[in-house]
Amino acid sequence: TQSFKTVEASLRVDALASARFKISRSKLVNLTSNGDVRVNWTTVTKNETTLKTGEIVSVSGKGRL
């Protein structure tokens, strides 16, 4: 496993994934609407999804968090 440190205002999937993969939140919105973002291997359709400790986020073509 890998870890990273960041300071974010929330635990929303779009905030944390954009910080980890170094992509803009607006690009992450497009990836989410295309079905390219998953939390625990389930496709996420809302950027405001709140993450919990231990959940796995994957973005197609970018990797896992």
Side-chain angles (χ1 to χ4, degrees):
T1 61
Q2 295 179 351
S3 63
F4 75 102
K5 291 183 181 184
T6 185
V7 176
E8 298 299 323
S10 70
L11 294 176
R12 288 173 38 152
V13 67
D14 58 341
L16 293 174
S18 67
R20 169 62 176 96
F21 299 118
K22 295 181 176 47
I23 57 176
S24 68
R25 286 175 80 169
S26 61
K27 181 164 181 160
L28 198 63
V29 169
N30 292 335
L31 290 169
T32 303
S33 64
N34 291 337
D36 293 331
V37 178
R38 291 176 200 81
V39 175
N40 296 330
W41 295 275
T42 301
T43 302
V44 174
T45 57
K46 296 181 180 180
N47 287 311
E48 52 276 349
T49 300
T50 302
L51 297 174
K52 297 176 185 134
T53 301
E55 289 189 311
I56 298 172
V57 178
S58 59
V59 179
S60 295
K62 301 292 182 186
R64 288 193 186 127
L65 154 68

